[in-house]
Short mmCIF file of all heavy atoms in Angstrom, two decimals:
data_model
loop_
_atom_site.label_atom_id
_atom_site.label_comp_id
_atom_site.label_asym_id
_atom_site.label_seq_id
_atom_site.Cartn_x
_atom_site.Cartn_y
_atom_site.Cartn_z
N MET A 1 116.03 105.99 107.76
CA MET A 1 115.75 107.09 106.87
C MET A 1 115.21 108.26 107.70
O MET A 1 114.36 108.07 108.55
CB MET A 1 114.70 106.62 105.85
CG MET A 1 114.02 107.72 105.10
SD MET A 1 112.73 107.13 103.97
CE MET A 1 111.34 107.03 105.07
N ILE A 2 115.74 109.43 107.39
CA ILE A 2 115.24 110.62 108.07
C ILE A 2 113.91 111.03 107.44
O ILE A 2 113.83 111.23 106.23
CB ILE A 2 116.25 111.79 107.99
CG1 ILE A 2 117.53 111.44 108.74
CG2 ILE A 2 115.64 113.08 108.53
CD1 ILE A 2 117.37 111.27 110.23
N VAL A 3 112.88 111.14 108.23
CA VAL A 3 111.56 111.55 107.76
C VAL A 3 111.41 113.07 107.90
O VAL A 3 111.00 113.75 106.98
CB VAL A 3 110.45 110.83 108.55
CG1 VAL A 3 109.07 111.34 108.16
CG2 VAL A 3 110.55 109.33 108.35
N CYS A 4 111.76 113.57 109.05
CA CYS A 4 111.63 115.00 109.32
C CYS A 4 113.03 115.59 109.49
O CYS A 4 113.68 115.38 110.51
CB CYS A 4 110.80 115.22 110.58
SG CYS A 4 110.59 116.95 111.00
N VAL A 5 113.44 116.29 108.46
CA VAL A 5 114.78 116.90 108.47
C VAL A 5 114.84 118.01 109.51
O VAL A 5 115.83 118.15 110.23
CB VAL A 5 115.13 117.44 107.06
CG1 VAL A 5 116.46 118.18 107.07
CG2 VAL A 5 115.16 116.31 106.06
N CYS A 6 113.79 118.77 109.61
CA CYS A 6 113.79 119.92 110.53
C CYS A 6 113.99 119.48 111.98
O CYS A 6 114.70 120.14 112.74
CB CYS A 6 112.49 120.70 110.41
SG CYS A 6 112.22 121.42 108.79
N SER A 7 113.37 118.37 112.36
CA SER A 7 113.45 117.91 113.74
C SER A 7 114.33 116.67 113.90
O SER A 7 114.38 116.08 114.98
CB SER A 7 112.06 117.62 114.29
OG SER A 7 111.28 118.79 114.26
N ASN A 8 114.97 116.26 112.80
CA ASN A 8 115.86 115.10 112.81
C ASN A 8 115.17 113.86 113.38
O ASN A 8 115.63 113.24 114.33
CB ASN A 8 117.14 115.41 113.59
CG ASN A 8 118.20 114.36 113.38
OD1 ASN A 8 118.25 113.72 112.32
ND2 ASN A 8 119.03 114.15 114.38
N VAL A 9 114.03 113.52 112.77
CA VAL A 9 113.26 112.35 113.22
C VAL A 9 113.30 111.30 112.12
O VAL A 9 112.95 111.59 110.97
CB VAL A 9 111.80 112.72 113.55
CG1 VAL A 9 111.00 111.49 113.93
CG2 VAL A 9 111.76 113.76 114.66
N SER A 10 113.70 110.11 112.48
CA SER A 10 113.79 109.01 111.52
C SER A 10 112.52 108.15 111.57
O SER A 10 111.73 108.23 112.51
CB SER A 10 115.00 108.14 111.86
OG SER A 10 114.80 107.53 113.11
N ASP A 11 112.37 107.31 110.56
CA ASP A 11 111.26 106.35 110.57
C ASP A 11 111.39 105.41 111.76
O ASP A 11 110.41 104.99 112.35
CB ASP A 11 111.18 105.58 109.25
CG ASP A 11 112.42 104.77 108.94
OD1 ASP A 11 113.53 105.20 109.33
OD2 ASP A 11 112.29 103.70 108.32
N ARG A 12 112.61 105.11 112.13
CA ARG A 12 112.85 104.23 113.29
C ARG A 12 112.31 104.86 114.58
O ARG A 12 111.69 104.18 115.40
CB ARG A 12 114.35 103.97 113.41
CG ARG A 12 114.70 102.96 114.43
CD ARG A 12 116.17 102.59 114.33
NE ARG A 12 116.53 101.77 115.46
CZ ARG A 12 117.69 101.78 116.04
NH1 ARG A 12 118.64 102.58 115.57
NH2 ARG A 12 117.95 101.01 117.05
N LYS A 13 112.53 106.16 114.73
CA LYS A 13 112.00 106.84 115.92
C LYS A 13 110.49 106.82 115.94
O LYS A 13 109.87 106.65 116.99
CB LYS A 13 112.47 108.31 115.94
CG LYS A 13 113.77 108.54 116.65
CD LYS A 13 114.01 110.03 116.82
CE LYS A 13 115.43 110.29 117.24
NZ LYS A 13 115.74 111.74 117.23
N ILE A 14 109.88 106.98 114.76
CA ILE A 14 108.42 106.93 114.68
C ILE A 14 107.93 105.54 115.04
O ILE A 14 106.98 105.38 115.82
CB ILE A 14 107.92 107.36 113.28
CG1 ILE A 14 108.24 108.85 113.06
CG2 ILE A 14 106.43 107.09 113.11
CD1 ILE A 14 107.95 109.35 111.66
N ARG A 15 108.59 104.52 114.52
CA ARG A 15 108.20 103.14 114.83
C ARG A 15 108.34 102.86 116.34
O ARG A 15 107.49 102.22 116.95
CB ARG A 15 109.06 102.14 114.04
CG ARG A 15 108.74 102.13 112.58
CD ARG A 15 109.63 101.17 111.80
NE ARG A 15 109.80 101.60 110.42
CZ ARG A 15 108.88 101.50 109.47
NH1 ARG A 15 107.72 100.96 109.76
NH2 ARG A 15 109.12 101.93 108.25
N GLN A 16 109.40 103.35 116.93
CA GLN A 16 109.59 103.16 118.38
C GLN A 16 108.49 103.88 119.16
O GLN A 16 108.00 103.37 120.17
CB GLN A 16 110.95 103.68 118.81
CG GLN A 16 112.09 102.80 118.36
CD GLN A 16 113.47 103.40 118.63
OE1 GLN A 16 113.59 104.61 118.81
NE2 GLN A 16 114.49 102.57 118.64
N ALA A 17 108.12 105.06 118.69
CA ALA A 17 107.06 105.82 119.37
C ALA A 17 105.73 105.08 119.27
O ALA A 17 104.97 105.03 120.25
CB ALA A 17 106.94 107.21 118.75
N VAL A 18 105.44 104.50 118.11
CA VAL A 18 104.21 103.72 117.95
C VAL A 18 104.26 102.47 118.83
O VAL A 18 103.28 102.12 119.50
CB VAL A 18 103.96 103.36 116.47
CG1 VAL A 18 102.78 102.40 116.33
CG2 VAL A 18 103.72 104.63 115.66
N ASP A 19 105.40 101.83 118.88
CA ASP A 19 105.55 100.67 119.77
C ASP A 19 105.34 101.08 121.22
O ASP A 19 104.89 100.29 122.04
CB ASP A 19 106.95 100.05 119.62
CG ASP A 19 107.10 99.29 118.31
OD1 ASP A 19 106.08 99.00 117.65
OD2 ASP A 19 108.25 98.99 117.94
N GLY A 20 105.68 102.32 121.52
CA GLY A 20 105.49 102.85 122.88
C GLY A 20 104.08 103.31 123.17
O GLY A 20 103.78 103.74 124.28
N GLY A 21 103.18 103.24 122.17
CA GLY A 21 101.78 103.52 122.42
C GLY A 21 101.20 104.72 121.68
O GLY A 21 100.01 104.97 121.79
N LEU A 22 102.00 105.47 120.94
CA LEU A 22 101.45 106.61 120.21
C LEU A 22 100.64 106.11 119.01
O LEU A 22 101.04 105.16 118.34
CB LEU A 22 102.55 107.54 119.72
CG LEU A 22 103.44 108.18 120.77
CD1 LEU A 22 104.28 109.27 120.15
CD2 LEU A 22 102.64 108.74 121.91
N THR A 23 99.51 106.75 118.75
CA THR A 23 98.65 106.31 117.66
C THR A 23 98.21 107.46 116.75
O THR A 23 97.51 107.22 115.77
CB THR A 23 97.38 105.62 118.20
OG1 THR A 23 96.69 106.55 119.04
CG2 THR A 23 97.72 104.37 118.97
N ARG A 24 98.54 108.70 117.09
CA ARG A 24 98.05 109.84 116.32
C ARG A 24 99.18 110.76 115.91
O ARG A 24 100.19 110.87 116.60
CB ARG A 24 97.04 110.63 117.14
CG ARG A 24 96.02 109.73 117.80
CD ARG A 24 95.05 110.50 118.61
NE ARG A 24 93.89 110.66 117.76
CZ ARG A 24 92.93 111.51 117.98
NH1 ARG A 24 92.99 112.32 119.00
NH2 ARG A 24 91.92 111.59 117.16
N MET A 25 98.97 111.45 114.79
CA MET A 25 99.94 112.44 114.33
C MET A 25 100.14 113.54 115.38
O MET A 25 101.25 114.02 115.57
CB MET A 25 99.50 113.07 113.00
CG MET A 25 99.98 112.36 111.78
SD MET A 25 101.77 112.15 111.68
CE MET A 25 102.31 113.83 111.37
N SER A 26 99.08 113.93 116.03
CA SER A 26 99.20 115.00 117.04
C SER A 26 100.14 114.56 118.17
O SER A 26 100.89 115.38 118.70
CB SER A 26 97.83 115.37 117.60
OG SER A 26 97.21 114.25 118.19
N GLU A 27 100.13 113.28 118.49
CA GLU A 27 101.03 112.78 119.53
C GLU A 27 102.48 112.76 119.02
O GLU A 27 103.40 113.08 119.77
CB GLU A 27 100.61 111.37 119.95
CG GLU A 27 99.27 111.34 120.65
CD GLU A 27 98.74 109.94 120.85
OE1 GLU A 27 98.97 109.05 119.99
OE2 GLU A 27 98.08 109.72 121.87
N LEU A 28 102.65 112.40 117.73
CA LEU A 28 104.00 112.44 117.16
C LEU A 28 104.53 113.87 117.13
O LEU A 28 105.69 114.12 117.41
CB LEU A 28 104.00 111.86 115.74
CG LEU A 28 103.83 110.35 115.60
CD1 LEU A 28 103.83 109.96 114.12
CD2 LEU A 28 104.92 109.60 116.34
N ARG A 29 103.65 114.81 116.81
CA ARG A 29 104.05 116.22 116.79
C ARG A 29 104.46 116.67 118.19
O ARG A 29 105.49 117.30 118.37
CB ARG A 29 102.89 117.10 116.31
CG ARG A 29 102.86 117.24 114.85
CD ARG A 29 101.83 118.28 114.41
NE ARG A 29 101.27 117.83 113.17
CZ ARG A 29 100.03 117.36 113.03
NH1 ARG A 29 99.18 117.37 114.01
NH2 ARG A 29 99.63 116.91 111.87
N ASP A 30 103.65 116.30 119.17
CA ASP A 30 103.93 116.75 120.55
C ASP A 30 105.21 116.13 121.09
O ASP A 30 106.00 116.80 121.73
CB ASP A 30 102.77 116.37 121.48
CG ASP A 30 101.53 117.19 121.20
OD1 ASP A 30 101.63 118.22 120.49
OD2 ASP A 30 100.45 116.79 121.68
N GLN A 31 105.40 114.84 120.83
CA GLN A 31 106.53 114.16 121.46
C GLN A 31 107.81 114.17 120.65
O GLN A 31 108.89 114.22 121.22
CB GLN A 31 106.13 112.71 121.79
CG GLN A 31 105.02 112.71 122.82
CD GLN A 31 104.99 111.45 123.63
OE1 GLN A 31 105.89 110.64 123.59
NE2 GLN A 31 103.92 111.29 124.39
N LEU A 32 107.69 114.11 119.31
CA LEU A 32 108.90 114.07 118.48
C LEU A 32 109.12 115.35 117.69
O LEU A 32 110.14 115.50 117.05
CB LEU A 32 108.83 112.87 117.51
CG LEU A 32 108.68 111.48 118.12
CD1 LEU A 32 108.60 110.42 117.02
CD2 LEU A 32 109.83 111.17 119.07
N GLU A 33 108.12 116.22 117.69
CA GLU A 33 108.16 117.48 116.93
C GLU A 33 108.20 117.25 115.42
O GLU A 33 108.72 118.07 114.67
CB GLU A 33 109.33 118.35 117.39
CG GLU A 33 109.20 118.75 118.84
CD GLU A 33 110.29 119.71 119.30
OE1 GLU A 33 111.15 120.08 118.48
OE2 GLU A 33 110.24 120.09 120.47
N VAL A 34 107.62 116.10 114.99
CA VAL A 34 107.52 115.82 113.56
C VAL A 34 106.55 116.82 112.93
O VAL A 34 105.45 117.03 113.43
CB VAL A 34 106.97 114.39 113.32
CG1 VAL A 34 106.69 114.15 111.85
CG2 VAL A 34 107.95 113.38 113.84
N GLY A 35 106.96 117.45 111.86
CA GLY A 35 106.08 118.34 111.11
C GLY A 35 105.79 119.66 111.77
O GLY A 35 104.85 120.35 111.37
N THR A 36 106.56 120.04 112.74
CA THR A 36 106.26 121.28 113.46
C THR A 36 106.99 122.50 112.90
O THR A 36 106.80 123.60 113.39
CB THR A 36 106.61 121.15 114.96
OG1 THR A 36 107.99 120.79 115.08
CG2 THR A 36 105.74 120.10 115.64
N CYS A 37 107.80 122.30 111.85
CA CYS A 37 108.53 123.44 111.29
C CYS A 37 108.00 123.75 109.88
O CYS A 37 107.06 124.51 109.73
CB CYS A 37 110.02 123.14 111.29
SG CYS A 37 111.02 124.56 110.84
N CYS A 38 108.57 123.13 108.85
CA CYS A 38 108.14 123.43 107.48
C CYS A 38 106.92 122.62 107.06
O CYS A 38 106.19 123.01 106.16
CB CYS A 38 109.28 123.19 106.49
SG CYS A 38 109.65 121.44 106.21
N GLY A 39 106.71 121.46 107.67
CA GLY A 39 105.54 120.64 107.39
C GLY A 39 105.67 119.73 106.18
O GLY A 39 104.73 119.00 105.85
N LYS A 40 106.80 119.74 105.51
CA LYS A 40 106.96 118.93 104.29
C LYS A 40 106.96 117.43 104.57
O LYS A 40 106.75 116.64 103.68
CB LYS A 40 108.26 119.31 103.57
CG LYS A 40 108.18 120.67 102.93
CD LYS A 40 109.46 120.99 102.20
CE LYS A 40 109.35 122.37 101.54
NZ LYS A 40 110.60 122.78 100.91
N CYS A 41 107.20 117.05 105.80
CA CYS A 41 107.29 115.63 106.16
C CYS A 41 105.95 115.04 106.58
O CYS A 41 105.87 113.84 106.84
CB CYS A 41 108.28 115.47 107.31
SG CYS A 41 107.78 116.38 108.77
N ASN A 42 104.92 115.85 106.67
CA ASN A 42 103.65 115.36 107.22
C ASN A 42 103.09 114.14 106.51
O ASN A 42 102.70 113.17 107.16
CB ASN A 42 102.61 116.49 107.22
CG ASN A 42 102.75 117.38 108.43
OD1 ASN A 42 103.11 116.92 109.51
ND2 ASN A 42 102.49 118.66 108.25
N SER A 43 103.05 114.15 105.18
CA SER A 43 102.45 113.02 104.47
C SER A 43 103.28 111.76 104.66
O SER A 43 102.73 110.67 104.84
CB SER A 43 102.23 113.33 103.00
OG SER A 43 103.46 113.54 102.36
N CYS A 44 104.59 111.90 104.62
CA CYS A 44 105.47 110.73 104.81
C CYS A 44 105.31 110.19 106.24
O CYS A 44 105.20 108.98 106.44
CB CYS A 44 106.91 111.13 104.53
SG CYS A 44 108.05 109.75 104.68
N ALA A 45 105.28 111.09 107.20
CA ALA A 45 105.13 110.66 108.60
C ALA A 45 103.79 109.97 108.82
O ALA A 45 103.70 108.95 109.51
CB ALA A 45 105.27 111.86 109.53
N LYS A 46 102.74 110.50 108.20
CA LYS A 46 101.41 109.87 108.31
C LYS A 46 101.42 108.47 107.72
O LYS A 46 100.84 107.55 108.28
CB LYS A 46 100.35 110.71 107.59
CG LYS A 46 99.84 111.86 108.38
CD LYS A 46 98.77 112.61 107.59
CE LYS A 46 98.53 113.97 108.21
NZ LYS A 46 97.67 114.82 107.39
N ASN A 47 102.07 108.32 106.56
CA ASN A 47 102.15 106.99 105.93
C ASN A 47 102.88 106.00 106.82
O ASN A 47 102.47 104.85 106.95
CB ASN A 47 102.83 107.09 104.56
CG ASN A 47 101.94 107.73 103.53
OD1 ASN A 47 100.72 107.75 103.67
ND2 ASN A 47 102.55 108.29 102.50
N ILE A 48 103.97 106.44 107.42
CA ILE A 48 104.72 105.54 108.32
C ILE A 48 103.88 105.21 109.54
O ILE A 48 103.84 104.05 109.98
CB ILE A 48 106.06 106.18 108.70
CG1 ILE A 48 106.96 106.24 107.47
CG2 ILE A 48 106.74 105.40 109.82
CD1 ILE A 48 108.21 107.03 107.64
N LEU A 49 103.19 106.20 110.07
CA LEU A 49 102.32 105.95 111.23
C LEU A 49 101.25 104.92 110.88
O LEU A 49 101.03 103.96 111.62
CB LEU A 49 101.67 107.27 111.68
CG LEU A 49 100.66 107.17 112.81
CD1 LEU A 49 101.30 106.63 114.07
CD2 LEU A 49 100.03 108.53 113.07
N ARG A 50 100.58 105.10 109.73
CA ARG A 50 99.55 104.15 109.30
C ARG A 50 100.12 102.74 109.13
O ARG A 50 99.51 101.77 109.56
CB ARG A 50 98.94 104.59 107.96
CG ARG A 50 97.90 105.64 108.11
CD ARG A 50 97.11 105.81 106.82
NE ARG A 50 96.56 107.15 106.79
CZ ARG A 50 96.91 108.09 105.93
NH1 ARG A 50 97.74 107.84 104.96
NH2 ARG A 50 96.37 109.29 106.00
N GLU A 51 101.27 102.66 108.50
CA GLU A 51 101.93 101.37 108.28
C GLU A 51 102.25 100.70 109.62
O GLU A 51 102.01 99.51 109.80
CB GLU A 51 103.21 101.60 107.48
CG GLU A 51 104.00 100.37 107.18
CD GLU A 51 105.35 100.73 106.56
OE1 GLU A 51 105.38 101.54 105.62
OE2 GLU A 51 106.37 100.22 107.05
N CYS A 52 102.76 101.47 110.56
CA CYS A 52 103.11 100.91 111.87
C CYS A 52 101.87 100.42 112.61
O CYS A 52 101.88 99.35 113.21
CB CYS A 52 103.80 101.97 112.74
SG CYS A 52 105.44 102.40 112.18
N LEU A 53 100.80 101.23 112.55
CA LEU A 53 99.57 100.83 113.23
C LEU A 53 98.97 99.59 112.59
O LEU A 53 98.47 98.70 113.28
CB LEU A 53 98.57 101.98 113.22
CG LEU A 53 98.96 103.18 114.08
CD1 LEU A 53 97.99 104.33 113.85
CD2 LEU A 53 99.03 102.81 115.55
N ALA A 54 99.02 99.51 111.26
CA ALA A 54 98.49 98.33 110.56
C ALA A 54 99.28 97.08 110.93
O ALA A 54 98.72 96.01 111.12
CB ALA A 54 98.53 98.55 109.05
N ASN A 55 100.58 97.24 111.05
CA ASN A 55 101.42 96.09 111.42
C ASN A 55 101.27 95.73 112.89
O ASN A 55 101.45 94.58 113.27
CB ASN A 55 102.89 96.39 111.14
CG ASN A 55 103.17 96.44 109.66
OD1 ASN A 55 102.43 95.88 108.86
ND2 ASN A 55 104.23 97.13 109.28
N ALA A 56 100.95 96.71 113.72
CA ALA A 56 100.86 96.47 115.16
C ALA A 56 99.54 95.84 115.56
O ALA A 56 99.46 95.16 116.56
CB ALA A 56 101.04 97.78 115.92
N GLN A 57 98.47 96.04 114.76
CA GLN A 57 97.15 95.58 115.16
C GLN A 57 97.04 94.08 115.41
O GLN A 57 96.40 93.70 116.37
CB GLN A 57 96.10 96.03 114.16
CG GLN A 57 95.77 97.49 114.35
CD GLN A 57 94.74 98.00 113.39
OE1 GLN A 57 94.35 97.29 112.46
NE2 GLN A 57 94.29 99.21 113.61
N PRO A 58 97.66 93.22 114.59
CA PRO A 58 97.51 91.79 114.89
C PRO A 58 98.04 91.42 116.28
O PRO A 58 97.50 90.55 116.94
CB PRO A 58 98.34 91.10 113.80
CG PRO A 58 98.35 92.08 112.69
CD PRO A 58 98.34 93.44 113.34
N ASN A 59 99.06 92.12 116.74
CA ASN A 59 99.60 91.83 118.07
C ASN A 59 98.83 92.52 119.17
O ASN A 59 98.90 92.13 120.32
CB ASN A 59 101.07 92.25 118.14
CG ASN A 59 101.91 91.42 117.19
OD1 ASN A 59 101.57 90.28 116.93
ND2 ASN A 59 102.98 91.99 116.70
N ALA A 60 98.12 93.60 118.80
CA ALA A 60 97.43 94.39 119.82
C ALA A 60 96.24 93.62 120.38
O ALA A 60 95.88 93.79 121.54
CB ALA A 60 96.97 95.71 119.24
N VAL A 61 95.62 92.78 119.56
CA VAL A 61 94.46 92.02 120.03
C VAL A 61 94.95 90.66 120.48
O VAL A 61 95.33 89.83 119.68
CB VAL A 61 93.41 91.89 118.90
CG1 VAL A 61 92.24 91.07 119.39
CG2 VAL A 61 92.98 93.25 118.42
N GLN A 62 94.95 90.47 121.75
CA GLN A 62 95.39 89.21 122.31
C GLN A 62 94.19 88.29 122.50
O GLN A 62 93.14 88.75 122.98
CB GLN A 62 96.07 89.44 123.67
CG GLN A 62 97.32 90.28 123.57
CD GLN A 62 98.44 89.53 122.85
OE1 GLN A 62 98.57 88.33 123.00
NE2 GLN A 62 99.22 90.26 122.07
N PRO A 63 94.31 87.05 122.16
CA PRO A 63 93.19 86.14 122.38
C PRO A 63 92.94 85.94 123.88
O PRO A 63 93.89 85.94 124.68
CB PRO A 63 93.66 84.83 121.74
CG PRO A 63 95.14 84.93 121.69
CD PRO A 63 95.47 86.40 121.58
N ILE A 64 91.69 85.82 124.23
CA ILE A 64 91.34 85.58 125.63
C ILE A 64 91.23 84.08 125.82
O ILE A 64 90.49 83.40 125.11
CB ILE A 64 90.00 86.27 125.98
CG1 ILE A 64 90.15 87.77 125.78
CG2 ILE A 64 89.60 85.93 127.40
CD1 ILE A 64 88.84 88.52 125.92
N MET A 65 91.98 83.58 126.77
CA MET A 65 91.99 82.15 127.01
C MET A 65 91.25 81.87 128.31
O MET A 65 91.47 82.54 129.31
CB MET A 65 93.43 81.64 127.12
CG MET A 65 94.31 82.06 125.97
SD MET A 65 94.65 80.87 124.71
CE MET A 65 95.12 79.43 125.52
N PHE A 66 90.37 80.92 128.26
CA PHE A 66 89.66 80.52 129.47
C PHE A 66 90.13 79.12 129.85
O PHE A 66 90.29 78.24 129.00
CB PHE A 66 88.15 80.48 129.24
CG PHE A 66 87.57 81.84 129.00
CD1 PHE A 66 87.29 82.28 127.72
CD2 PHE A 66 87.32 82.69 130.06
CE1 PHE A 66 86.76 83.53 127.51
CE2 PHE A 66 86.78 83.95 129.85
CZ PHE A 66 86.51 84.36 128.57
N HIS A 67 90.35 78.95 131.09
CA HIS A 67 90.70 77.62 131.58
C HIS A 67 89.44 77.06 132.24
O HIS A 67 88.99 77.56 133.26
CB HIS A 67 91.84 77.69 132.60
CG HIS A 67 93.10 78.20 131.97
ND1 HIS A 67 93.94 77.39 131.25
CD2 HIS A 67 93.64 79.43 131.92
CE1 HIS A 67 94.95 78.10 130.79
NE2 HIS A 67 94.80 79.35 131.18
N THR A 68 88.87 76.04 131.60
CA THR A 68 87.59 75.53 132.07
C THR A 68 87.67 74.98 133.49
O THR A 68 86.71 75.11 134.25
CB THR A 68 87.07 74.43 131.12
OG1 THR A 68 88.09 73.44 130.97
CG2 THR A 68 86.71 75.01 129.77
N GLN A 69 88.80 74.44 133.88
CA GLN A 69 88.92 73.90 135.24
C GLN A 69 88.88 75.03 136.26
O GLN A 69 88.25 74.91 137.31
CB GLN A 69 90.21 73.12 135.40
CG GLN A 69 90.20 71.82 134.62
CD GLN A 69 91.52 71.08 134.70
OE1 GLN A 69 92.54 71.68 135.03
NE2 GLN A 69 91.48 69.81 134.38
N ALA A 70 89.52 76.16 135.94
CA ALA A 70 89.53 77.29 136.85
C ALA A 70 88.13 77.90 136.96
O ALA A 70 87.72 78.35 138.02
CB ALA A 70 90.52 78.34 136.38
N MET A 71 87.37 77.89 135.84
CA MET A 71 86.03 78.46 135.86
C MET A 71 85.08 77.58 136.65
O MET A 71 84.13 78.06 137.27
CB MET A 71 85.51 78.64 134.44
CG MET A 71 86.28 79.72 133.69
SD MET A 71 85.80 79.86 131.98
CE MET A 71 84.15 80.49 132.13
N ALA A 72 85.28 76.27 136.66
CA ALA A 72 84.39 75.35 137.36
C ALA A 72 84.60 75.40 138.86
O ALA A 72 83.68 75.12 139.64
CB ALA A 72 84.64 73.92 136.87
N ALA A 73 85.76 75.84 139.31
CA ALA A 73 86.06 75.88 140.74
C ALA A 73 85.34 77.00 141.47
O ALA A 73 84.87 77.93 140.96
CB ALA A 73 87.57 76.02 140.95
S1 LIG B 1 110.81 118.25 107.44
FE1 LIG B 1 109.50 117.95 109.10
S2 LIG B 1 108.89 119.93 109.68
FE2 LIG B 1 110.31 120.26 108.09
#
């Protein structure tokens, strides 16, 4: 789905950008030019960004594993 008609940015591009490490609307604006023309896409882009970040968080926190044998050495 095209989110930003002015800059031809799809939800897929936003998801890829978030997977690549972007976390803020200002970064999406700088890198994808989302919302930099008429601004009508801002709320939709923000919602997609929030959704992507919410989905990404469980994977972002990796459990720390300790190997007791390695620690004893
Ligand atoms: S639709 Fe995104 S700036 Fe116009």
Side-chain angles (χ1 to χ4, degrees):
M1 164 183 85
I2 295 295
V3 175
C4 180
V5 175
C6 297
S7 299
N8 192 30
V9 177
S10 65
D11 61 328
R12 188 170 171 214
K13 270 190 192 172
I14 293 173
R15 289 178 208 286
Q16 287 172 340
V18 172
D19 287 345
L22 299 191
T23 59
R24 313 179 98 195
M25 270 304 290
S26 59
E27 294 170 326
L28 288 179
R29 272 189 215 108
D30 290 345
Q31 295 206 11
L32 302 179
E33 298 184 0
V34 173
T36 57
C37 188
C38 73
K40 289 182 179 175
C41 60
N42 277 326
S43 63
C44 182
K46 278 181 196 171
N47 287 338
I48 292 171
L49 176 61
R50 278 193 205 114
E51 179 188 312
C52 290
L53 292 172
N55 290 338
Q57 283 180 352
N59 295 331
V61 178
Q62 297 291 324
I64 298 173
M65 309 258 312
F66 293 100
H67 296 278
T68 53
Q69 290 176 341
M71 292 175 68

